[in-house]
Amino acid sequence: MDSQTVRSRQTAQDEPTAGRLKPNSLGVLGILFFVLSAQAPLTGIAGAVPIAVAIGNGPGVPAAYLGAGVVVLLFSVGFVAMGRHVVDAGAFYTYIGRGLGRPAGSGSAGVALFAYCAIQAAMYGLYGSIVSGLVDHYTGVNIAWWMWVLVTMVIVQVLGAAGIEMGARLLAVFVLAEFSILIAFALVTLFKGGGPEGLGFTDSFSPGAALQGAPGVALMFAVASMFGFEATAIYGEEAREPRKTVPRATYLSVVVVSGFFAFTSWMLVSAHGASRATAEAGKALESGDATGWVFAPITAQFGDWVADVGPILLATSLFAGILAFHNSANRYLFSLGREGLLPRGLCAINRRHSPWAAGGVQTVLALLFVMPFALLGKDPVLTLFSWFSGVAVLAIMLLYFLTSVSVIVFFRRERLDTRPWNTLVAPVLGALGIAGAIWLILANFTTLIGGDPTTATWLELAVPAVLILGVAAARVTRDRAPSAA
């Protein structure tokens, strides 16, 4: 073989290709770190738990996290069963399309993209505010929050194009850092026998504790904290032995996330004392810094350095979540391009088999979501973060429900798996649980977004509007190209 032929073959291998992501890139732990990054554990604990304790069911919040875990675990049974027969970077929309038809799948794709871009934009708002405050505190230089967001968008775009392995390694570092401090605090508190009133197990996990106050509000925030676990299926095309890796990663992520939130919130309640936890959470909310309810007992346990490190870890937690959702959204765009529902240029991949074109479009979408708030001078936390995180949770819960229904229909029609529990009983129970969660979210949506009823109504209407537009787009595409239907 002459040297010119060798060079030609090497050049062909190095050139960007289209149509397939890099296989065998992620194992169970790699996928798990992407899921945990999307959860942004420290953000979920510091941001949601104090609110759930203050206006939800008080010391019974840990039980709400276990309840949310059970609902999501039931959903996961059917989700995993279908994933054994459908492996695609589109996940939700592919599953829904196979079960309920292409128009429904196309509509759900729009909802999924909307959800991922909205939650990423929400994280950008809180992230920009925290980073701006940190820089001002340590250097005295006051730079607008949106400037840090723009810089971070460039970094995220570069990391997203650098390959899935690079992203997994970086996220592993950030996730381990935030998990370590929270788990260390929780374990020390446990081994010390709890706070001033002991461990207070029955105060947090008895039926009476779980149902006191407003348990629906607590369950709503608990369900919101589970956002992002479905990324296990999104990376199926890049997983090693996806029919084994994805189910293991899915079940492991649900158990780890729900267990982590239940255990950590229990130890936080115990550290404050069950009888005082609700009042102290309320005071933290009134002060405008709910995170103080979380960082105060950790600081008391480990020292004043936590007050300095905590906000930095919160910023890295948000960065990890932003990168995780960037990767999820660009894989949706990639899959839609490959299916012909969006321009096929979106399925172009680079030398590292990363969807660089889809990643660029996702970054532009993030910019379009964020910049109106910057141009209008809106508070990035009270508006951008609060509004978009709420609407993203509503959107993703709708996708969970549609996916559960799709699993039932798919296996009744295809008969590829005849196990009743996996293909009927668990999906039905999961769908009922998710429907209940959607009802709770809608009933308490104004509280969830921290806004006014008018804003809440517009945000609620945005989700079905995106679904309808997606369905309409699919029908137009089918009419223009019947063979693609």
Side-chain angles (χ1 to χ4, degrees), residues 52-406:
V53 171
I55 65 176
N57 59 346
V61 162
Y65 281 103
L66 286 185
V70 170
V71 171
V72 174
L73 197 59
L74 287 170
F75 165 81
S76 300
V77 173
F79 186 67
V80 165
M82 193 163 185
R84 295 181 185 278
H85 304 282
V86 181
V87 178
D88 189 271
F92 277 148
Y93 101 81
T94 306
Y95 290 12
I96 294 170
R98 289 289 296 273
L100 303 180
R102 191 182 183 207
S106 178
S108 67
V111 174
L113 276 173
F114 178 62
Y116 288 137
C117 289
I119 194 63
Q120 188 195 45
M123 287 180 162
Y124 269 128
L126 183 56
Y127 170 86
S129 177
I130 291 173
V131 172
S132 179
L134 285 171
V135 173
D136 189 17
H137 175 73
Y138 287 109
T139 69
V141 178
N142 187 3
I143 300 177
W145 66 271
W146 54 268
M147 291 292 292
W148 295 111
V149 169
L150 291 178
V151 171
T152 304
M153 284 181 179
V154 175
I155 296 172
V156 168
Q157 173 64 26
V158 171
L159 288 174
I164 199 69
E165 300 99 327
M166 175 68 74
R169 294 189 192 104
L170 183 63
L171 293 179
V173 173
F174 289 151
V175 168
L176 287 174
E178 58 184 299
F179 253 77
S180 296
I181 191 170
L182 291 171
I183 288 296
F185 160 77
L187 289 174
V188 169
T189 304
L190 176 67
F191 292 138
K192 282 186 173 182
E197 301 172 14
L199 290 173
F201 181 84
T202 56
D203 292 318
S204 289
F205 293 104
S206 67
L211 297 174
Q212 67 181 314
V217 174
L219 183 61
M220 175 186 68
F221 280 102
V223 169
S225 298
M226 302 294 291
F227 194 114
F229 88 94
E230 71 285 342
T232 53
I234 292 175
Y235 297 108
E237 191 172 317
E238 297 159 278
R240 304 185 193 103
E241 297 184 273
R243 285 175 174 78
K244 294 181 180 179
T245 300
V246 171
R248 291 171 184 170
T250 301
Y251 289 132
L252 184 60
S253 66
V254 174
V255 171
V256 168
V257 170
S258 58
F260 166 80
F261 277 103
F263 177 51
T264 305
S265 61
W266 174 32
M267 289 299 100
L268 284 167
V269 168
S270 175
H272 284 278
S275 66
R276 300 160 48 193
T278 303
E280 291 181 1
K283 290 179 182 177
L285 289 183
E286 291 174 5
S287 72
D289 183 16
T291 62
W293 188 85
V294 172
F295 288 128
I298 300 177
T299 300
Q301 192 76 263
F302 296 133
D304 292 338
W305 62 270
V306 173
D308 294 321
V309 173
I312 296 173
L313 286 177
L314 188 55
T316 58
S317 171
L318 287 161
F319 178 84
I322 288 167
L323 179 57
F325 283 115
H326 170 82
N327 284 322
S328 295
N330 67 26
R331 277 153 181 77
Y332 259 92
L333 288 165
F334 168 86
S335 185
L336 288 169
R338 187 166 57 186
E339 292 289 329
L341 293 172
L342 289 177
R344 293 194 179 276
L346 289 172
C347 52
I349 57 178
N350 60 18
R351 294 178 179 85
R352 294 181 179 272
H353 291 264
S354 295
W356 66 270
V361 171
Q362 199 285 315
T363 298
V364 171
L365 289 174
L367 188 66
L368 293 175
F369 270 70
V370 170
M371 289 315 293
F373 290 83
L375 295 173
L376 294 173
K378 296 293 185 180
D379 185 290
V381 178
L382 298 179
T383 57
L384 180 56
F385 175 72
S386 298
W387 296 359
F388 279 172
S389 57
V391 76
V393 169
L394 180 59
I396 209 71
M397 292 307 295
L398 174 61
L399 291 176
Y400 287 176
F401 179 77
L402 291 175
T403 301
S404 292
V405 174
S406 178

Side-chain angles (χ1 to χ4, degrees), residues 24-82:
N24 302 315
S25 300
L26 295 172
V28 172
L29 290 180
I31 296 175
L32 180 62
F33 279 123
F34 272 104
V35 172
L36 296 180
S37 300
Q39 305 290 335
L42 184 57
T43 304
I45 289 291
V49 173
I51 302 173
V53 171
I55 65 176
N57 59 346
V61 162
Y65 281 103
L66 286 185
V70 170
V71 171
V72 174
L73 197 59
L74 287 170
F75 165 81
S76 300
V77 173
F79 186 67
V80 165
M82 193 163 185

